[in-house]
Amino acid sequence: MRAGDSDRQAVADQLKTALDEGRLDLDEYDERLQKTYAAKTFRDLDTLVTDLPGPVPEQRSRVEPFQPPAAPQQAPGVGEVRRAGGPPFLGPYSGVVAVCFIIWGLSCLGSGHFVYPWPLWMLIPLILGGWGGRGKRRR
């Protein structure tokens, strides 16, 4: 049977819905849309949408807010105590600062005179990071 303009528009709407749902990419959508408007019969139109599922009913397609997964529970006494809201890099960074002070101290001993204490500049992130979340602790 010969397809009418309203039939072509219905298939075009179904293709648009499939594009919106992510079932088709833009290139495939354009290609199928061109074939839709060039179709002469219902058979031509059916071949364009047979591999697509029907639309999801509205009552099942509601959007729900994202719930992040719960943090894994640890046994009491396991894990470190750290400030809530404190940057997570401060623990490892303090180790880097300690190594830099050791290098500075060895260079002072090796040269035989006092060298500018450059590792002091590396303390700035530790000091500023220590001000955030003061007094709040969590396990």
Side-chain angles (χ1 to χ4, degrees):
M1 289 195 44
R2 189 149 176 89
D5 288 339
S6 61
D7 300 321
R8 288 186 196 93
Q9 187 59 45
V11 171
D13 292 340
Q14 189 175 354
L15 291 173
K16 175 68 171 129
T17 302
L19 175 69
D20 292 342
E21 292 175 349
R23 299 177 192 278
L24 294 176
D25 62 359
L26 193 56
D27 293 331
E28 189 176 7
Y29 169 74
D30 286 338
E31 181 182 324
R32 288 188 188 203
L33 194 61
Q34 289 175 2
K35 290 179 182 179
T36 298
Y37 288 120
K40 303 263 189 237
T41 64
F42 283 112
R43 184 176 185 174
D44 296 339
L45 291 176
D46 287 342
T47 59
L48 297 171
V49 293
T50 54
D51 62 332
L52 299 175
V56 178
E58 190 172 325
Q59 57 270 35
R60 285 189 23 214
S61 66
R62 66 179 184 267
V63 177
E64 297 195 15
F66 174 73
Q67 296 292 330
Q73 298 292 329
Q74 293 182 348
V78 176
E80 63 183 85
V81 175
R82 83 167 212 212
R83 273 182 227 94
F89 72 88
L90 289 181
Y93 184 74
S94 60
V96 171
V97 172
V99 169
C100 289
F101 269 104
I102 291 171
I103 293 171
W104 172 76
L106 291 174
S107 65
C108 285
L109 289 175
S111 67
H113 65 279
F114 183 76
V115 179
Y116 177 75
W118 54 269
L120 289 175
W121 289 102
M122 297 181 67
L123 290 175
I124 292 173
L126 288 175
I127 293 168
L128 294 178
W131 288 340
R134 179 166 285 178
K136 296 179 186 174
R137 296 211 179 248
R138 69 174 181 163
R139 284 184 162 254

Coordinates of all heavy atoms in Angstrom, one line a residue, residues 36-94:
T36 N 13.1 7.9 4.9 CA 11.7 8.0 5.3 C 10.9 8.9 4.3 O 9.8 8.6 3.8 CB 11.6 8.6 6.7 OG1 12.2 7.7 7.6 CG2 10.1 8.8 7.1
Y37 N 11.5 10.1 4.0 CA 10.8 11.0 3.1 C 10.8 10.5 1.7 O 10.0 11.0 0.8 CB 11.3 12.4 3.3 CG 10.9 13.0 4.6 CD1 11.8 13.4 5.5 CD2 9.6 13.1 4.9 CE1 11.5 14.0 6.7 CE2 9.2 13.7 6.1 CZ 10.1 14.1 7.0 OH 9.7 14.6 8.2
A38 N 11.7 9.6 1.3 CA 11.7 9.0 0.0 C 10.9 7.8 -0.2 O 10.7 7.3 -1.3 CB 13.2 8.7 -0.4
A39 N 10.4 7.3 1.0 CA 9.6 6.0 0.9 C 8.3 6.2 0.2 O 7.6 7.2 0.3 CB 9.4 5.5 2.4
K40 N 7.9 5.2 -0.5 CA 6.6 5.2 -1.3 C 5.6 4.3 -0.6 O 4.4 4.6 -0.7 CB 6.9 4.7 -2.7 CG 7.9 5.5 -3.4 CD 7.3 6.6 -4.3 CE 8.4 7.2 -5.2 NZ 8.5 8.6 -5.0
T41 N 6.0 3.2 0.0 CA 5.0 2.2 0.5 C 5.3 2.0 2.0 O 6.3 2.4 2.6 CB 5.2 0.9 -0.2 OG1 6.5 0.3 0.1 CG2 5.0 1.0 -1.7
F42 N 4.3 1.4 2.7 CA 4.4 1.0 4.1 C 5.6 0.1 4.3 O 6.2 0.2 5.4 CB 3.1 0.4 4.6 CG 2.0 1.4 4.8 CD1 0.9 1.4 4.0 CD2 2.1 2.3 5.8 CE1 -0.1 2.3 4.3 CE2 1.1 3.3 6.1 CZ 0.0 3.3 5.3
R43 N 5.8 -0.8 3.4 CA 6.9 -1.7 3.5 C 8.3 -1.0 3.6 O 9.1 -1.3 4.4 CB 7.0 -2.7 2.4 CG 8.0 -3.7 2.5 CD 7.9 -4.7 1.4 NE 8.9 -5.8 1.6 CZ 9.0 -6.9 0.9 NH1 8.2 -7.1 -0.1 NH2 9.9 -7.8 1.2
D44 N 8.4 0.1 2.8 CA 9.6 0.9 2.9 C 9.8 1.6 4.2 O 10.9 1.7 4.8 CB 9.6 2.0 1.8 CG 9.7 1.4 0.4 OD1 10.1 0.2 0.2 OD2 9.2 2.1 -0.6
L45 N 8.7 2.0 4.8 CA 8.7 2.7 6.1 C 9.0 1.7 7.2 O 9.7 2.0 8.2 CB 7.4 3.4 6.4 CG 7.1 4.6 5.5 CD1 5.7 5.2 5.8 CD2 8.1 5.7 5.7
D46 N 8.4 0.5 7.1 CA 8.6 -0.5 8.2 C 10.0 -1.0 8.3 O 10.5 -1.2 9.4 CB 7.7 -1.7 7.9 CG 6.2 -1.4 8.2 OD1 5.9 -0.4 8.9 OD2 5.4 -2.2 7.7
T47 N 10.7 -1.0 7.2 CA 12.1 -1.5 7.2 C 13.0 -0.4 8.0 O 14.1 -0.8 8.5 CB 12.7 -1.7 5.8 OG1 12.6 -0.5 5.1 CG2 12.0 -2.8 5.1
L48 N 12.6 0.8 8.1 CA 13.4 1.8 8.8 C 13.3 1.8 10.3 O 14.1 2.3 11.0 CB 12.9 3.2 8.2 CG 13.2 3.4 6.8 CD1 12.5 4.8 6.3 CD2 14.7 3.5 6.5
V49 N 12.2 1.2 10.8 CA 12.0 1.2 12.3 C 11.8 -0.2 12.9 O 11.5 -0.3 14.1 CB 10.7 2.1 12.6 CG1 11.0 3.5 12.3 CG2 9.5 1.6 11.9
T50 N 12.0 -1.2 12.1 CA 11.7 -2.6 12.7 C 12.8 -2.9 13.8 O 12.5 -3.7 14.7 CB 11.8 -3.6 11.6 OG1 13.0 -3.5 10.8 CG2 10.6 -3.5 10.7
D51 N 14.0 -2.4 13.7 CA 15.0 -2.7 14.6 C 15.0 -1.8 15.9 O 15.7 -2.0 16.8 CB 16.4 -2.6 14.0 CG 16.7 -1.2 13.5 OD1 15.8 -0.5 13.2 OD2 17.9 -0.9 13.5
L52 N 14.1 -0.9 15.9 CA 13.9 0.0 17.0 C 12.8 -0.4 17.9 O 11.7 -0.8 17.5 CB 13.6 1.5 16.6 CG 14.7 2.1 15.7 CD1 14.2 3.5 15.2 CD2 16.0 2.3 16.4
P53 N 13.0 -0.4 19.3 CA 11.9 -0.8 20.2 C 10.9 0.4 20.2 O 11.2 1.5 19.9 CB 12.6 -1.0 21.5 CG 13.9 -0.2 21.4 CD 14.3 -0.2 20.0
G54 N 9.8 0.1 20.7 CA 8.7 1.1 20.8 C 9.1 2.1 21.9 O 10.1 1.8 22.7
P55 N 8.5 3.2 22.0 CA 8.8 4.2 23.0 C 8.5 3.6 24.4 O 7.6 2.8 24.6 CB 7.9 5.4 22.7 CG 6.8 4.8 21.8 CD 7.4 3.6 21.1
V56 N 9.2 4.1 25.4 CA 9.0 3.7 26.8 C 7.7 4.4 27.3 O 7.6 5.6 27.1 CB 10.2 4.1 27.6 CG1 10.0 3.8 29.1 CG2 11.5 3.5 27.1
P57 N 6.8 3.7 27.9 CA 5.6 4.3 28.5 C 6.0 5.4 29.5 O 7.0 5.3 30.2 CB 4.9 3.2 29.2 CG 5.5 1.9 28.7 CD 6.8 2.2 28.2
E58 N 5.2 6.5 29.5 CA 5.6 7.7 30.3 C 5.7 7.4 31.8 O 6.5 7.9 32.5 CB 4.5 8.7 30.0 CG 4.9 10.1 30.6 CD 3.9 11.2 30.2 OE1 3.4 11.1 29.1 OE2 3.7 12.0 31.1
Q59 N 4.8 6.5 32.3 CA 4.9 6.2 33.7 C 6.2 5.5 34.1 O 6.6 5.5 35.2 CB 3.7 5.4 34.2 CG 3.4 4.1 33.5 CD 2.5 4.3 32.3 OE1 2.6 5.2 31.6 NE2 1.7 3.3 32.0
R60 N 6.8 4.8 33.2 CA 8.1 4.1 33.4 C 9.3 4.9 33.1 O 10.4 4.5 33.4 CB 8.2 2.8 32.7 CG 7.3 1.7 33.2 CD 7.5 0.4 32.6 NE 8.8 0.1 32.0 CZ 8.9 -0.6 30.9 NH1 7.9 -1.2 30.4 NH2 10.1 -0.8 30.4
S61 N 9.1 6.1 32.5 CA 10.3 6.9 32.0 C 10.6 8.1 32.8 O 11.1 9.0 32.4 CB 10.0 7.3 30.5 OG 8.9 8.2 30.5
R62 N 10.2 8.1 34.1 CA 10.5 9.2 35.0 C 11.9 9.3 35.3 O 12.7 8.3 35.4 CB 9.6 9.1 36.2 CG 10.0 8.0 37.1 CD 9.2 8.0 38.4 NE 9.6 6.9 39.3 CZ 9.1 5.7 39.3 NH1 8.1 5.4 38.5 NH2 9.6 4.8 40.2
V63 N 12.4 10.5 35.5 CA 13.8 10.7 35.8 C 13.9 10.8 37.3 O 13.2 11.5 38.0 CB 14.3 12.1 35.2 CG1 15.7 12.4 35.6 CG2 14.1 12.0 33.7
E64 N 14.9 10.0 37.9 CA 15.1 10.0 39.3 C 16.4 10.6 39.6 O 17.4 10.5 38.8 CB 15.0 8.6 39.8 CG 13.6 8.0 39.6 CD 13.4 6.7 40.4 OE1 14.2 6.5 41.4 OE2 12.4 6.0 40.1
P65 N 16.5 11.3 40.7 CA 17.8 12.0 41.1 C 18.9 10.9 41.3 O 18.6 9.8 41.8 CB 17.5 12.8 42.3 CG 16.3 12.2 42.9 CD 15.5 11.6 41.7
F66 N 20.1 11.3 41.0 CA 21.2 10.4 41.2 C 21.5 10.2 42.7 O 21.6 11.2 43.4 CB 22.5 11.0 40.5 CG 23.7 10.2 40.8 CD1 23.9 8.9 40.2 CD2 24.7 10.7 41.6 CE1 25.1 8.2 40.5 CE2 25.8 10.0 41.9 CZ 26.0 8.8 41.3
Q67 N 21.6 9.0 43.1 CA 22.0 8.7 44.5 C 23.4 8.1 44.5 O 23.6 7.0 43.9 CB 21.0 7.7 45.1 CG 19.6 8.2 45.3 CD 19.5 9.3 46.3 OE1 20.3 9.4 47.3 NE2 18.6 10.3 46.1
P68 N 24.4 8.8 45.1 CA 25.8 8.2 45.0 C 25.8 6.9 45.9 O 25.0 6.8 46.8 CB 26.6 9.3 45.6 CG 25.7 10.1 46.4 CD 24.4 10.0 45.7
P69 N 26.6 6.0 45.5 CA 26.7 4.7 46.3 C 27.2 5.0 47.7 O 28.0 5.9 47.9 CB 27.7 3.9 45.5 CG 28.4 4.8 44.6 CD 27.5 6.0 44.4
A70 N 26.7 4.2 48.6 CA 27.1 4.4 50.0 C 28.6 3.9 50.1 O 29.1 3.0 49.5 CB 26.3 3.5 50.9
A71 N 29.3 4.6 51.0 CA 30.7 4.3 51.3 C 30.8 2.9 52.0 O 29.9 2.6 52.8 CB 31.3 5.4 52.2
P72 N 31.8 2.1 51.6 CA 31.9 0.8 52.3 C 32.2 1.0 53.8 O 32.9 1.9 54.2 CB 33.1 0.2 51.6 CG 33.8 1.3 50.9 CD 32.8 2.4 50.7
Q73 N 31.6 0.1 54.5 CA 31.7 0.2 56.0 C 33.0 -0.5 56.4 O 33.4 -1.5 55.9 CB 30.5 -0.5 56.7 CG 29.2 0.1 56.4 CD 29.1 1.5 57.0 OE1 29.7 1.7 58.1 NE2 28.4 2.4 56.4
Q74 N 33.8 0.2 57.3 CA 35.0 -0.4 57.8 C 34.8 -0.8 59.3 O 34.0 -0.2 60.0 CB 36.1 0.6 57.7 CG 36.5 1.0 56.3 CD 37.7 1.9 56.2 OE1 38.0 2.5 57.2 NE2 38.3 2.1 55.1
A75 N 35.6 -1.7 59.7 CA 35.5 -2.2 61.1 C 36.0 -1.0 62.0 O 36.9 -0.2 61.5 CB 36.4 -3.4 61.3
P76 N 35.5 -0.9 63.2 CA 36.0 0.1 64.1 C 37.5 0.0 64.3 O 38.1 -1.0 64.5 CB 35.3 -0.2 65.4 CG 34.1 -1.1 65.1 CD 34.5 -1.8 63.8
G77 N 38.1 1.2 64.3 CA 39.6 1.2 64.5 C 40.4 1.1 63.2 O 41.6 1.2 63.2
V78 N 39.7 0.8 62.1 CA 40.4 0.6 60.9 C 40.3 1.9 60.1 O 39.2 2.5 60.0 CB 39.8 -0.6 60.0 CG1 40.5 -0.7 58.7 CG2 40.0 -1.9 60.8
G79 N 41.3 2.3 59.4 CA 41.3 3.5 58.6 C 41.9 4.7 59.4 O 42.2 4.6 60.6
E80 N 42.1 5.7 58.7 CA 42.7 6.9 59.3 C 41.7 7.9 59.7 O 40.6 8.0 59.1 CB 43.7 7.5 58.3 CG 43.0 8.0 57.1 CD 44.0 8.6 56.1 OE1 44.6 7.8 55.3 OE2 44.3 9.8 56.1
V81 N 42.0 8.7 60.7 CA 41.2 9.8 61.1 C 41.6 11.0 60.3 O 42.8 11.4 60.4 CB 41.3 10.1 62.6 CG1 40.5 11.3 63.0 CG2 40.8 8.9 63.4
R82 N 40.7 11.7 59.6 CA 41.1 12.8 58.8 C 40.0 13.9 58.9 O 38.9 13.6 59.1 CB 41.5 12.5 57.4 CG 40.4 12.4 56.5 CD 41.0 12.3 55.1 NE 39.9 13.0 54.3 CZ 39.6 12.8 53.1 NH1 40.2 11.9 52.4 NH2 38.6 13.4 52.6
R83 N 40.4 15.1 58.6 CA 39.5 16.2 58.7 C 38.4 16.0 57.6 O 38.8 15.8 56.5 CB 40.2 17.5 58.5 CG 40.7 18.1 59.7 CD 41.4 19.4 59.4 NE 42.6 19.5 60.1 CZ 43.8 19.1 59.6 NH1 43.9 18.8 58.3 NH2 44.9 19.2 60.3
A84 N 37.2 16.3 58.0 CA 36.1 16.3 57.0 C 36.3 17.5 56.1 O 36.5 18.6 56.6 CB 34.8 16.3 57.6
G85 N 36.3 17.4 54.8 CA 36.4 18.5 54.0 C 37.9 18.9 53.7 O 38.1 19.8 52.9
G86 N 38.8 18.3 54.3 CA 40.2 18.5 54.1 C 40.7 17.9 52.8 O 40.2 16.8 52.4
P87 N 41.6 18.5 52.1 CA 42.0 18.0 50.8 C 42.7 16.6 51.0 O 43.5 16.5 51.9 CB 43.0 19.0 50.2 CG 42.7 20.3 50.9 CD 42.1 19.9 52.3
P88 N 42.4 15.6 50.2 CA 43.0 14.3 50.4 C 44.5 14.2 50.1 O 45.1 13.3 50.4 CB 42.2 13.4 49.4 CG 41.7 14.4 48.3 CD 41.5 15.7 49.0
F89 N 45.0 15.2 49.4 CA 46.5 15.2 49.1 C 47.4 15.6 50.2 O 48.6 15.4 50.2 CB 46.8 16.1 47.9 CG 46.7 17.6 48.2 CD1 47.8 18.2 48.7 CD2 45.5 18.3 48.0 CE1 47.8 19.6 48.9 CE2 45.5 19.6 48.3 CZ 46.6 20.3 48.8
L90 N 46.8 16.1 51.3 CA 47.7 16.6 52.4 C 48.5 15.6 53.1 O 49.6 15.8 53.5 CB 46.8 17.4 53.4 CG 46.3 18.7 52.9 CD1 45.5 19.4 54.0 CD2 47.4 19.6 52.4
G91 N 48.0 14.4 53.2 CA 48.7 13.3 53.9 C 50.0 12.9 53.1 O 51.1 13.0 53.6
P92 N 49.8 12.6 51.8 CA 51.0 12.2 51.0 C 51.9 13.5 50.8 O 53.1 13.3 50.7 CB 50.4 11.8 49.7 CG 49.1 11.3 50.0 CD 48.6 12.2 51.1
Y93 N 51.3 14.6 50.7 CA 52.1 15.8 50.4 C 53.0 16.2 51.6 O 54.1 16.6 51.4 CB 51.2 17.0 50.1 CG 51.9 18.3 49.8 CD1 52.5 18.4 48.5 CD2 52.0 19.3 50.6 CE1 53.2 19.6 48.2 CE2 52.7 20.5 50.3 CZ 53.3 20.6 49.1 OH 54.0 21.7 48.8
S94 N 52.5 15.9 52.8 CA 53.4 16.2 54.0 C 54.6 15.3 53.9 O 55.7 15.7 54.4 CB 52.6 16.0 55.3 OG 52.1 14.6 55.4

